[in-house]
Amino acid sequence: MPSAPFSAPRAAAAASGPTVAIDIGGTKIAGALVHPDGTMTATTRRPTPRGTDADGVMAAVAEVVADLSASPLWASAERCGIGSAGPVDTSRGTVSPVNIGAWRDFPVQERVVAELAARGADLPTVLAGDGVAMTAAEHWLGAARGHANALCMVVSTGVGGGLILNNQLHPGPTGNAGHIGHISVAFDGEPCVCGGHGCVESIASGTAIARWALEQGWTPSDTAAGGERDATAAGVAAAAVEGDPIALAAFDRAGRALAAAIAATATLVETDITVIGGGVAAAGDTLFAPIRRHLAAYATLSFVKDIQVVPAMLGTHAGLIGAAAAATMLLPSPSSQPSAS
């Protein structure tokens, strides 16, 4: 059962205007005006530029802001939320996305604030990593709605996440709290790209699942389109559904790593639900069944043994909704701000 009544992001009920939401990823840069009920208008997107410099990528963000500013509701916007692939440092307003090579310690928050001001919108602005944004979205309108303490995870090319504690988004000082992908769950595990060993990401990411299966001798099957072989985690998942023992073992291994990290997090901060989204979660029970099975062996204390593990609900909308939800949860209500004298 939910641990507390649902409450909308702070100030949402009182706010009458929309939130400017910007979602920055390695494939696309999207924008929308997100309203207090979660509906979106003026949605727009640009492909993330490749082979350009930092200003070239920022130009695409500026185009998204320009599109949004053409909306008749632009003048009523009350805040802005930026969700970005990481690493992020929200204390400095900078991002260094793994999948946007041109941005290293890029001051995206400062640059977006300048773009907003240039179009007549002097708005308070928040930067959130994509895992934290997804967490805010799922708590507002998704699978964590009604839960006061939740862990939300994105299991994709990497593994990220965020925390809701006592009905509040908990991003931490630099915006990276809840980054469960870099909890070590294998003492003698292989090196991780972060410099650690045995991290969840090095075992349970889509990249890691596919790599391990191939190393164990799994052979991808031909896909229906053009006879190409699908050597991704999606291909491993399809093989697991057909009963391939190596594919099943790859997902069992990933599920065990995720279960260990979920149990550790729940034991530390008493979360009562874990919401999992991202491309690997699309495998459904192929991923969720081993997580739940192994969780029974890791989450044994009375206050964590009933933790739920459920799929995310918001899918591709989580980035924009999450950017808006993070801004609404982390910024003070306009009515609480001092008026100009």
Side-chain angles (χ1 to χ4, degrees):
M1 293 294 291
S3 56
F6 165 68
S7 59
R10 183 155 52 98
S16 58
T19 298
V20 177
I22 299 170
D23 178 26
I24 299 170
T27 303
K28 57 103 175 52
I29 297 166
L33 299 180
V34 180
H35 299 271
D37 63 356
T39 58
M40 296 190 296
T41 57
T43 54
T44 184
R45 63 187 290 168
R46 293 287 190 282
T48 303
R50 300 287 183 185
T52 185
D53 60 9
D55 286 337
V57 179
M58 185 62 210
V61 179
E63 290 174 7
V64 166
V65 174
D67 288 350
L68 297 178
S69 71
S71 168
L73 297 173
W74 176 254
S76 63
E78 297 189 350
R79 65 189 69 77
C80 174
I82 307 163
S84 176
V88 303
D89 185 341
T90 59
S91 67
R92 299 169 55 223
T94 61
V95 297
S96 303
V98 172
N99 48 11
I100 304 178
W103 278 6
R104 289 295 172 265
D105 294 320
F106 185 75
V108 67
Q109 184 168 340
E110 176 186 328
R111 295 289 296 271
V112 168
V113 166
E115 289 295 331
L116 295 169
R119 298 188 179 278
D122 185 12
L123 300 177
T125 301
V126 158
L127 170 65
D130 51 7
V132 172
M134 175 265 195
T135 299
E138 290 292 333
H139 184 249
W140 182 16
L141 297 173
R145 178 172 176 159
H147 290 264
N149 301 288
L151 168 67
C152 297
M153 304 174 63
V154 180
V155 183
S156 186
T157 305
V159 177
L163 290 166
I164 297 289
L165 300 178
N166 195 26
N167 271 322
Q168 299 294 316
L169 187 63
H170 183 73
T174 66
N176 292 289
H179 200 340
I180 194 170
H182 296 291
I183 290 177
S184 178
V185 293
F187 182 73
D188 295 320
E190 63 185 81
C192 179
V193 293
C194 74
H197 288 264
C199 293
V200 174
E201 184 171 299
S202 70
I203 300 170
S205 70
T207 306
I209 290 169
R211 182 181 66 247
W212 187 86
L214 289 166
E215 289 173 351
Q216 303 308 306
W218 171 67
T219 302
S221 299
D222 292 345
T223 65
E228 295 181 0
R229 295 181 181 274
D230 185 356
T232 68
V236 181
V241 170
E242 296 298 320
D244 184 289
I246 295 175
L248 286 166
F251 271 90
D252 184 76
R253 180 173 179 266
R256 184 179 182 185
L258 291 166
I262 290 166
T265 303
T267 303
L268 184 67
V269 295
E270 290 198 60
T271 51
D272 60 18
I273 189 170
T274 296
V275 177
I276 303 179
V280 177
D285 280 348
T286 301
L287 177 68
F288 284 90
I291 292 174
R292 292 170 180 143
R293 183 172 64 253
H294 287 295
L295 193 60
Y298 286 109
T300 58
L301 294 170
S302 61
F303 60 94
V304 295
K305 66 183 181 62
D306 294 326
I307 188 169
Q308 300 176 53
V309 178
V310 300
M313 292 175 58
L314 298 177
T316 57
H317 298 300
L320 287 170
I321 292 174
T328 307
M329 295 178 84
L330 297 174
L331 289 168
S333 166
S335 62
S336 70
Q337 297 177 7
S339 58
S341 57

